[in-house]
Each structure stands twice: as structure tokens, then as C-alpha cells.
Amino acid sequence: MKENKYSLDFFDVVENRRSVRIFDQTEPFDHGVVRKCLETATLAPNSSNLQLWEFYQVPETSPLKDRLAKLCMGQKAATTSRNLVVVVARRDKWKSRIAANYNHIKSVYEDAPSKKQKQALSYYGKLIPKLYATYPLWSIGKQVFAWFVGLKKPMVREVSETDVRISVHKSVALAAMTFMYAMTAEGYDTCPMEGLDSKRVKKLLDLPDAAEISMIIGCGKRLPEGVYGERFRVPNKDVIFER
């Protein structure tokens, strides 16, 4: 059997990635690599291809960097980072993202049979707008509808406003992980942080109230003491099952 060197390279990346909490201040750092890896992150899978994410790159040369690091509760992964990436969920941009997908599908299926085109456009023209709409009491209405349909056939149950919000953050997290793996592949290290003052971060970056900070990722090259001990994982038998 022919060896797949690309698979091996990927597994090496996964094995090498660690959450680094102290970064080297003397090693050269190419901020262009961060941009390259962020562009790669936009290729990550995401719910209905809505791409409800934004990434704010704050390099060490930015006047906002030290202030942002303090809003990460002064964590060393932030204060010693050479670049901070703020990962933002933008559930509020659903209308423009749906329109973009609708127009794309319309052009792609321009010469397709009318029935096939209608099916493709219906997804973004009817189904997804109903799921993401925020009319008063609509969240309850969607749950009642899902429950009723689910009495007789399989039905998606996660349709509430909270469920939609969770779905957006799932997609954002997939992009963040893609970014971190890309950084590892480029020879850099990262640390995702959730300990932060989201209200003040949004004010610092001039973000609207509807924006939600998913995480902030510190970037740089690791110092030996920046990795806090050996990697620990519970046994695979406790988390991987077959039915």
C-alpha cells in the first residue's frame, strides 16, 4: 500500500500543536503568515456556508495590542504573544450571508433544469431565513413546529434561538481550529483563550453589541516553559465508541 505522506504530515501537525502560554520575544515573527493562515481558516466547514465569522488581527506593533492583552485578564499567552487574533461570531449578519449564497446558487444553477434550480434556491430563500429569523416568539414557534413534525418522522430539534447561536459558534470554532493547525504547519504556536472581558474587547475593537467574541488566540513561537507539562488526555476508551 502506497504511503500517503500528506496524511502523515497532518498527523505530525496535530501531534505538535500545544497550547503555548509563554512566547519567545526574540525570535523573528512573520505577521504575514498570520494573514495567510486566517485566509486558510475561511475555508473551514461551516453551517449552511453562511460564514458568520470575523477575524481581527492585532499584531505587536498595534497600539491596541497591550490593551487587548490586559483584557485577556493579563494572561501570559496574551501579554507575550507576538500577534493576537480575535475570533468573532456574527450571527447578526445572517441576512447578507444568505443573500450572498442565494445569488451564488442562482448563478451556478442558471442553466440547470427549473426544478433543480428551484430546490437549490428554496434552501436559502425559504428554509434558512425561517431558521435564522428573530421575530417575537418565533423561537418558541419553531420549537413547537419541530416537536409536532418529530412525532411522525425524523426532524431537526435544535431550532431555538439558543440552538442557532450555538450552531454559529460551532462553525466559528471550526475556523479557529483550522487557523491554529495552519499556524503549526507554518512553524508557529498558538493559544486559544476564553478568559477575557468580552464587553470591553468589543468596545476596544468598535464592534456592535450583537457581535460575540468566541475566543482570542495568542500567536508566536514557544519557549520551553511555555508548554505547561506533558499532554494529558483521558483514555480513548472513555470517549471513542462503536455501535
Side-chain angles (χ1 to χ4, degrees):
M1 184 175 180
K2 188 177 180 180
E3 183 178 83
N4 186 334
K5 72 182 185 66
Y6 296 103
S7 294
L8 291 176
D9 288 345
F10 174 75
F11 289 113
D12 288 341
V13 166
V14 175
E15 182 67 28
N16 189 58
R17 188 215 63 80
R18 297 294 305 274
S19 291
V20 174
R21 292 172 172 81
I22 304 177
F23 296 104
D24 196 320
Q25 302 298 297
T26 61
E27 282 285 328
F29 187 89
D30 185 353
H31 294 283
V33 170
V34 178
R35 175 67 184 227
K36 174 185 176 182
C37 293
L38 286 174
E39 291 175 353
T40 301
T42 66
L43 302 179
N46 62 99
S47 183
S48 297
N49 199 37
L50 295 182
Q51 304 163 59
L52 294 170
W53 51 41
E54 290 179 344
F55 309 95
Y56 292 83
Q57 183 180 353
V58 184
E60 58 192 344
T61 54
S62 169
L64 301 182
K65 198 273 180 177
D66 289 342
R67 295 166 62 187
L68 182 58
K70 290 180 180 178
L71 297 181
C72 294
M73 316 312 292
Q75 297 179 64
K76 289 183 178 180
T79 59
T80 67
S81 69
R82 309 295 295 277
N83 200 308
L84 287 170
V85 173
V86 184
V87 184
V88 183
R90 293 303 304 266
R91 185 248 186 277
D92 58 310
K93 289 194 170 184
W94 65 274
K95 288 184 179 180
S96 63
R97 298 294 195 267
I98 286 176
N101 275 281
Y102 184 92
N103 292 331
H104 173 72
I105 293 294
K106 192 173 182 179
S107 64
V108 168
Y109 285 89
E110 185 176 6
D111 298 324
S114 58
K115 183 178 179 180
K116 189 172 184 180
Q117 185 186 64
K118 185 177 180 180
Q119 289 175 338
L121 293 177
S122 178
Y123 185 76
Y124 287 107
K126 296 180 179 179
L127 180 60
I128 297 302
K130 289 178 180 177
L131 179 62
Y132 276 79
T134 55
Y135 308 122
L137 301 180
W138 181 232
S139 181
I140 296 175
K142 289 186 293 183
Q143 294 175 75
V144 171
F145 176 79
W147 173 82
F148 183 77
V149 173
L151 290 175
K152 295 185 178 181
K153 63 180 182 179
M155 177 62 187
V156 175
R157 311 298 177 123
E158 292 72 26
V159 296
S160 72
E161 180 60 26
T162 297
D163 292 328
V164 172
R165 178 172 174 263
I166 290 172
S167 177
V168 172
H169 278 275
K170 285 180 185 179
S171 294
V172 169
L174 288 172
M177 190 72 256
T178 300
F179 167 73
M180 288 187 282
Y181 280 149
M183 287 291 286
T184 300
E186 290 291 322
Y188 289 103
D189 297 290
T190 55
C191 184
M193 294 172 280
E194 294 180 298
L196 53 93
D197 187 328
S198 60
K199 184 176 181 179
R200 286 186 169 85
V201 170
K202 286 194 286 187
K203 184 177 181 180
L204 181 67
L205 299 181
D206 195 27
L207 295 174
D209 290 338
E212 295 186 347
I213 310 299
S214 181
M215 67 186 79
I216 296 179
I217 303 174
C219 307
K221 287 194 174 183
R222 73 179 70 179
L223 288 175
E225 61 269 29
V227 179
Y228 290 179
E230 296 295 323
R231 175 184 278 124
F232 169 75
R233 292 293 185 270
V234 298
N236 287 337
K237 65 181 180 64
D238 292 344
V239 297
I240 301 175
F241 308 98
E242 183 175 340
R243 293 289 190 266

